[in-house]
Amino acid sequence: MKVLVIGSGAREHALCRSLSLDPAVTALHCAPGNAGIGEVAELHQVDALDGKAVAALATDLGAELVVVGPEAPLVAGVADAVREAGIPCFGPSGEAARLEGSKAFAKDVMAEAEVPTARSYVCTTPAEVDEALDAFGAPYVVKDDGLAAGKGVVVTGDLEQAKAHANACERVVIEEYLDGPEVSLFAITDGETVLPLQPAQDFKRALDGDEGPNTGGMGAYSPLPWAEPKLVDEVLRTVLQPTVDEMRRRGTPFSGLLYAGLAITSRGVRVIEFNARFGDPETQVVLARLKTPLAGVLLAAANGTLADLEPLRWSDDAAVTVVVASHNYPGTPRTGDPITGLDEVAAEDAPYAYVLHAGTKRDGDAVVSAGGRVLSVTATGADLVQARERAYTAVGRIRLDGSQYRTDIAAKAASGAV
Ligand code: AMP
Ligand code: GLY
C-alpha cells in the first residue's frame, strides 16, 4: 500500500514511524514533513491547506491511502478533496471537522446526543460575557470559538483576565469549571463503527506542577494506572458512539479520529472538548503501544469496513513522551538554533527511546529548530517508572540552546499519586 501523510509535527512523525514498520506499506510519503520524518518517508512540498494541491500530489504518487494529520487542513476540507479524487482518506470531511473547528458547534452536537459536558454559554458581546462569568463564578473558563492550536483557552481565577480574553475574541464559549484529572481518549471510526484506542494523559500547561500558560501539550503517558478499567467502555457508550451516531443522523458522518478530551469529575465523566484528529503528544504514546499494524486500521476507517477488523492488539508496556520546546514557547518561539545529541540517542537509547521531530528542519548537515514544539522524546518500559527514566535519559542527551521541557511528565502517575 502506498501511503501519503499530510502534516509536519511529532504526531505525523509517530504516524510515519508506525506506518514505516507496517509490512503492508510499500511506499511512504509525507508532505511537508520535517527533518526526522525525512528519515522514514519521502518528503514533498505542498500547501497542506490546499485540498486540490494535496489531491493532485496524492494522484501523482499513486497513493492508495492519504492520512491527514492536523486540524487546519481537515477544517479546510482537504479530506473531501482527496476523496473526490477517488483516493481513500483517513480524516473527517470539513463539515464533520467542525466538531473541533467550532466549540459552539461541538456543544450543540453534545446537547443533541445527550453527551455529558460542562454547562456553557456562547457569547458575542461584553454584556453577555459579564453575565456568563457571573453565572458560573471562579475559576473562569473562557474559550475562543475557533481553532487556536490549544492556546485559545484561558482558565483563571482573575475576573479581569477572563474578561480581557473574552473581549479579545469575536465569539467565546464560557463554561462551568470541571475539576478532576484529564484523560484523552481517541477512537477510530468509519462514521458508524467506533474503535476506541488506549487512554492517555496530556500535560497542557507549559511549566512543572501545571503552572504557566496552556500549550499544545508538553508531554503524555499511557496507560493510566489510576483509571478505572471500565473507563473506555463507559466513554464509548456515553460519549463516542452517541456523538458518531448524531453526526451521521445530521447527514455529516464523522470518519477518522475522534478525540475526546475528558475530565473525570466527582460527578462523572465530562467532555472538555472534541478534536477531529490524533492528539499531539498523546499519539506518540498511544502508537508506541499499538501492536496491530497501523495502515490496515486507517484504511478500514477510510473505506467504511471497521466492523470487519480484528480487535486491536496492545503491548503491556508503558510509554512516556516528553516535549522539548523552543525558547519562549508558547509565545513566539526562537528558531534556527542547532540541535545536537540526536545521534547519541539513536546509538545509546534505541529501541526503547527515540526522538520524534516536530519543528525541525535540515540546514546542510545540521538539524535546526523551526517551531515552538521542536521534538518529542518517546520511550517505552515495563512500567511508567522505567519509561520515564528512559525518556528523561534521552532528553538529557539533546542540546538546543534556550530550550525548555517539563521534568514532571507522568511523575505523579508513576508514583501512584494521581
Ligand atoms: P481545550 O482546548 O478545550 O481542551 O482546553 C484546553 C485546556 O483548558 C484543557 O485541557 C483543560 O486543562 C482546560 N479546560 C478547558 N475547559 C475546562 C473546563 N471546563 N474546566 C476546567 N478546565 C478546562
Ligand atoms: N494534546 C492536545 C491536542 O492535541 O490538542
Side-chain angles (χ1 to χ4, degrees), residues 103 118 141 143 150-151 153 155 175-179 182 204-205 214 272-273 275:
K103 300 215 183 254
V141 181
K143 303 185 174 187
K151 296 177 239 167
V153 176
V155 180
E175 66 181 35
E176 149 192 41
Y177 178 79
L178 300 173
D179 60 359
E182 285 180 40
K204 291 258 170 66
R205 300 282 187 144
N214 265 320
I272 293 180
E273 63 163 349
N275 291 317

Side-chain angles (χ1 to χ4, degrees), residues 106-133:
K107 284 288 184 190
D108 188 55
V109 170
M110 284 189 267
E112 203 64 49
E114 295 181 20
V115 168
T117 184
R119 288 177 297 126
S120 64
Y121 295 107
V122 180
C123 308
T124 51
T125 67
E128 286 172 359
V129 166
D130 288 354
E131 208 173 308
L133 292 173

Side-chain angles (χ1 to χ4, degrees), residues 11 202 204 216-217 259 273 275 277-282 373:
R11 161 189 50 214
D202 179 20
K204 291 258 170 66
Y259 164 144
E273 63 163 349
N275 291 317
R277 38 90 195 159
F278 280 98
D280 190 343
E282 298 97 309
R373 290 190 291 180

